[in-house]
Amino acid sequence: MKNICYLLILISFCLPCFADKAEDSKKSHSLWLTDLDKGKEQAKKQNKLILVDFTGSDWCHWCVRLDKEVFEHKEFKEYAKNNLVLVMLDFPAKKKLPAAVKEKNNKAKKKYAIRGYPTILLLDHTGKEVARTGYKKGGPKNYVKHLTSILEEYKKSAKK
């Protein structure tokens, strides 16, 4: 009986730790929209490009890795907040999406000929593809550098 009491006390102390981790995970995606049309509207208002993450969040190794190594980091979040509108279109294996969301995601997947995950698209506010990329090793600093070079090239070509 004594052991059961100790176990229950131990569990009660550990539960808040797990809750904090779940909350951190939710916070890491708070910048992300899940509707491309809303992303286009926001990009037009803010005069920004849209970064669309086509992901398999619960099964794709490289998607999870990109999220943990780049998207969850402060450096990426700050860069994105100032320069991009973030849209995540998920294609999970286990998690169930509402039918309308699944249909919209599949429509975008077909329109942009997505063949693998993760695929990262940079789009203008009309939905025109500016660049296509994916996972890059090197963490948030390297990824921000990569995106910066794409944005600079886009701005140069837009001036012409």
Side-chain angles (χ1 to χ4, degrees):
M1 187 67 168
K2 206 181 213 183
N3 288 340
I4 292 173
C5 288
Y6 288 132
L7 182 61
L8 290 174
I9 291 169
L10 179 65
I11 290 171
S12 69
F13 283 111
C14 291
L15 284 176
C17 298
F18 293 119
D20 288 346
K21 290 218 181 273
E23 191 60 34
D24 287 347
S25 177
K26 287 178 190 173
K27 287 178 189 170
S28 73
H29 288 97
S30 64
L31 294 173
W32 295 83
L33 300 172
T34 56
D35 183 316
L36 185 54
D37 292 329
K38 288 181 182 175
K40 289 177 188 178
E41 290 171 18
Q42 189 173 327
K44 186 174 183 175
K45 287 178 191 172
Q46 297 177 357
N47 194 30
K48 294 180 181 178
L49 289 181
I50 308 161
L51 182 145
V52 185
D53 178 16
F54 286 84
T55 184
S57 67
D58 66 358
W59 62 270
C60 170
H61 168 77
W62 294 107
C63 300
V64 171
R65 202 161 160 183
L66 180 60
D67 197 43
K68 289 192 182 314
E69 290 179 13
V70 177
F71 297 153
E72 290 181 1
H73 290 267
K74 183 179 178 183
E75 186 173 358
F76 173 80
K77 289 177 189 178
E78 287 176 2
Y79 175 80
K81 188 176 179 181
N82 295 321
N83 297 284
L84 300 165
V85 172
L86 301 176
V87 176
M88 179 177 41
L89 301 182
D90 199 5
F91 298 84
K94 299 172 193 146
K95 182 173 57 174
K96 297 290 183 199
L97 296 177
V101 171
K102 192 173 182 178
E103 184 180 333
K104 275 186 151 185
N105 290 0
N106 283 325
K107 188 176 176 182
K109 177 183 173 182
K110 185 176 180 180
K111 176 180 179 176
Y112 294 106
I114 303 302
R115 301 206 190 321
Y117 304 99
T119 297
I120 306 299
L121 298 183
L122 287 163
L123 309 175
D124 69 12
H125 73 274
T126 68
K128 180 182 173 200
E129 186 175 328
V130 170
R132 182 177 290 239
T133 189
Y135 173 83
K136 299 271 185 211
K137 65 181 179 177
K141 185 175 183 177
N142 189 51
Y143 212 82
V144 165
K145 184 178 176 184
H146 172 63
L147 293 174
T148 300
S149 68
I150 292 171
L151 289 176
E152 287 173 357
E153 190 64 36
Y154 171 73
K155 287 176 184 175
K156 283 181 194 174
S157 66
K159 288 181 181 180
K160 292 179 183 178

